[in-house]
Structures are given as structure tokens and as C-alpha cells.
Amino acid sequence: MQLLVSLTWCKNHTGQQGLSISFGDEPSTSFKLNTVSRLFRKKKGSKSFEFNDSKIDILWDLSAATYESGPEPVDGYFLLLVVDSEIGLTLGDFTQEAASKKLKNGTSMAKFTLVSRREYYSGNALYSTKAQFSDTGIAHDILIRFSIENGGLKQPVLLVSIDKKTVMRVKRLHWNFRGNQTIFVDGLLVDLLWDVHDWFFNPTSGFAVFMFKTRSGLDSRLWLEEKIAQKDQDCVEFSLLIHASKSS
């Protein structure tokens, strides 16, 4: 059985934080925690329910969680999702062995993979995040920066860096407000697409959109022979979608 799990961390301008988990394409199945709920104030706990004839158990501990600028914890927490006595998702500090020990019943680990990640930012010129482009890869620091070139006519420039290395530089952004470029990360081809049209032509409520999308199949790894690369045909593609607002 395959199960699509969507997990959302959020934080508003008043400091209220929240977490929601939904299953499949049905938002009505969401499990929600927020700072005003009794469950979130406990910081740790568990909850069980059924979805499509499957028993789902959620265990969480945010009591020692640490945060940076975003709503998602960076350390000191864990979240476990168990579907029909199989561990379907682990987040935070738990390894598979530690998760099984926590459940105390030898629960097996199901195969799971991150399909996509979506982030929303509000600011003026700088957006940063982390992303892991494959199950076996490492987490990379991604920085998107909007600046004005000094000298001449002072044209707007878009810079994208991964691990402090510039991978894309777009000049004359007023004219090149949409486009795409292919970059190389962890032996994978990654398509980088941008659309900053609304930054210039709908500044009141407009978002810029950036997408990082891996390729799978024969063209996903440049140096492998075709026979080896065929094994990757069933690999799940990963996409990172960033919505960036300059309205505040």
C-alpha cells in the first residue's frame, strides 16, 4: 500500500506555531497541533485514528525542540508515524533502531521517500533554506538573493547559491523574469526554474516562484553507463518549491 503524507510546519507574525499532517488528497484527514491547542501545549504525546481501513499512530516530542528563523525544528525533537504496525515516517533525532526501541515491539520500517517540499517566505531580498535532493545525499544550504548591481544603470540581479557556491546568476531581471537552468548536485541533474514577474509587475501581492526539480531515469546521472543508469528509472523525483514575497 502506498500512502501520501503531507506535513506542514507554520508560524505567523504573532509567534503562534503549528503542525498539521494530512493523508492522501483529503484535507479533512488532517491531524493538527498549534500553540493554542491542548495537544501542542503538552509538547509531547500520541494519537491514534483510522484512515482508509488502516490504523495510524502519531507520536511526537517537541519539549526540547530548538528552532532557527523558520517554523520547523532543527534539533531536539522527534515525530513518528506508524501505519498498520510499520514505521512510515520518522522526523527529527530518531534513527530506525531508536524508533523501534521507542515502540518496544520490534516494529519494522516501511520504505518512504520525500517527494516534494514547499516553502513560503516574506521578506525583501534574501531567502535561505536547506534541501536534500536524494535519499542518499546530504542536506544542502540554499540561498536566493536579489540585489542591484553597482555601476552603470544599476540593473536588478538574481543570485542562487548552494553551499556558498553561486550556481546561477541572472542579470537584467526586468527582462529575464522567467527562465530555467540546469545545475548539477550530488551527481544529479537538477532543473532550476524561476518566475519573478510579479515582483516587478504586481508588487502589492505578487509572489516569485522558484523550483528545484531532480530528474530521474537515464539522464539523471551524467557519468554512469546506460546499463547502470537504467536502475534509476524507477527513482522518485524530488522537487523543492519556494514562494517568495517582497510585499513586507
Side-chain angles (χ1 to χ4, degrees), residues 229-241:
Q230 284 177 343
K231 297 180 181 179
D232 289 340
Q233 284 184 321
D234 296 329
C235 289
V236 177
E237 295 179 354
F238 166 76
S239 63
L240 168 65
L241 186 63

Side-chain angles (χ1 to χ4, degrees), residues 17-229:
Q17 292 178 279
L19 163 66
S20 67
I21 305 173
S22 60
F23 303 91
D25 297 321
E26 301 181 27
S28 60
T29 64
S30 292
F31 164 75
K32 296 181 179 181
L33 298 173
N34 57 63
T35 51
V36 297
S37 74
R38 175 180 58 83
L39 290 174
F40 197 91
R41 284 200 300 268
K42 288 172 59 179
K43 296 290 186 176
K44 60 190 300 185
S46 63
K47 186 174 179 62
S48 300
F49 54 93
E50 290 191 358
F51 173 73
N52 285 354
D53 298 324
S54 293
K55 182 184 178 184
I56 296 178
D57 298 292
I58 301 176
L59 299 87
W60 71 93
D61 187 345
L62 303 171
S63 57
T66 57
Y67 301 82
E68 291 181 348
S69 58
E72 181 179 3
V74 296
D75 198 10
Y77 78 104
F78 76 81
L79 185 146
L80 294 178
L81 178 67
V82 182
V83 182
D84 291 334
S85 299
E86 280 192 315
I87 299 174
L89 177 67
T90 63
L91 291 177
D93 305 325
F94 264 22
T95 63
Q96 177 180 352
E97 181 180 353
S100 297
K101 187 178 297 184
K102 173 71 175 178
L103 298 172
K104 299 179 181 179
N105 58 3
T107 304
S108 62
M109 176 74 76
K111 182 179 180 181
F112 61 88
T113 187
L114 180 63
V115 177
S116 66
R117 182 181 178 96
R118 181 179 298 181
E119 302 190 8
Y120 292 85
Y121 289 88
S122 179
N124 288 322
L126 195 66
Y127 311 93
S128 63
T129 186
K130 290 180 178 287
Q132 183 175 331
F133 293 95
S134 68
D135 292 338
T136 57
I138 62 173
H140 296 277
D141 294 309
I142 297 176
L143 185 69
I144 298 173
R145 181 159 55 96
F146 173 77
S147 63
I148 302 295
E149 280 191 334
N150 293 323
L153 298 176
K154 292 189 176 182
Q155 295 286 344
V157 177
L158 178 68
L159 296 169
V160 178
S161 302
I162 296 181
D163 297 332
K164 299 182 179 180
K165 179 180 179 181
T166 301
V167 297
M168 189 186 77
R169 181 186 182 94
V170 182
K171 298 182 178 181
R172 299 175 181 173
L173 204 55
H174 277 109
W175 300 100
N176 300 310
F177 50 78
R178 292 191 185 103
N180 64 278
Q181 184 172 319
T182 302
I183 60 177
F184 194 48
V185 183
D186 291 341
L188 294 170
L189 289 174
V190 178
D191 292 317
L192 170 53
L193 302 89
W194 72 92
D195 184 344
V196 297
H197 173 275
D198 285 0
W199 272 3
F200 299 108
F201 305 108
N202 186 19
T204 302
S205 59
F207 280 87
V209 179
F210 304 90
M211 175 180 279
F212 299 77
K213 184 175 178 60
T214 61
R215 298 185 191 178
S216 64
L218 296 179
D219 61 349
S220 63
R221 297 181 182 271
L222 292 182
W223 65 80
L224 294 181
E225 296 179 0
E226 181 174 331
K227 183 180 296 186
I228 300 176

